[in-house]
Amino acid sequence: MASDHASLVNPADETIVLGPITIRFLNTGANSNGSMAMFELSVPAGKGLPAPTHYHDAYEETVYGLEGILTWTVDGEPITISNGESMCIRRGAVHRFDNLDSVDAKVLCVVTPAIVGPEYFRETAVILKAAAGGPPDKQKMGEIMVRHGLIPVPPIKA
């Protein structure tokens, strides 16, 4: 019976690189019956969210600090999350993150239900790579975000 459970341990182990940021998926909707997605988000010192500030109205995002300090701006209010601290970003809350500290940070993110998954981050990685260190194509980034349930703020104009 232990072997049956062993197949459930870290079933979605995939790492996606978004410029300086690394996302390591631990669980996805595909192996959680759509109930949740879980990933580690590693952000080097002085770096932040490469996508526009956004919100999502179809899922919550819970963040738990593992290493360093990551500053999340939620509805205009800065909230620092360090080792052992957590918060839930409610549906509709406009947010972004930045590592304003001098050390790298890592958080665990849990998305419920699992509306966003590795596909979003893989598509975003292609846009960031095409930008070659410059600003990403806002139109393409906005299209990817909307397709995966993230609404950019301010809205990207067509």
Side-chain angles (χ1 to χ4, degrees), residues 1-9:
M1 185 170 287
S3 63
D4 292 339
H5 295 293
S7 66
L8 299 176
V9 176

Side-chain angles (χ1 to χ4, degrees), residues 10-17 22-28 30-31 38-41 117-123 125:
N10 214 16
D13 196 358
E14 175 182 2
T15 299
I16 301 167
V17 177
T22 303
I23 296 165
R24 180 175 168 241
F25 265 87
L26 305 171
N27 214 324
T28 67
N31 52 36
M38 181 187 319
F39 56 91
E40 289 177 345
L41 173 67
E119 301 81 9
Y120 164 72
F121 295 101
R122 285 188 214 117
E123 290 182 42

Side-chain angles (χ1 to χ4, degrees), residues 27-103:
N27 214 324
T28 67
N31 52 36
S32 71
N33 199 28
S35 65
M36 60 83 92
M38 181 187 319
F39 56 91
E40 289 177 345
L41 173 67
S42 298
V43 184
K47 301 297 179 182
L49 178 66
T53 300
H54 63 277
Y55 67 94
H56 22 82
D57 55 9
Y59 60 90
E60 278 79 33
E61 184 172 359
T62 301
V63 180
Y64 178 79
L66 298 172
E67 298 173 10
I69 300 171
L70 201 57
T71 300
W72 293 76
T73 303
V74 181
D75 287 336
E77 179 184 341
I79 301 167
T80 57
I81 300 293
S82 61
N83 186 21
E85 296 179 325
S86 68
M87 73 167 170
C88 180
I89 301 170
R90 63 177 170 65
R91 297 173 193 218
V94 174
H95 62 281
R96 66 167 291 108
F97 62 81
D98 296 283
N99 184 344
L100 305 175
D101 207 9
S102 60
V103 298

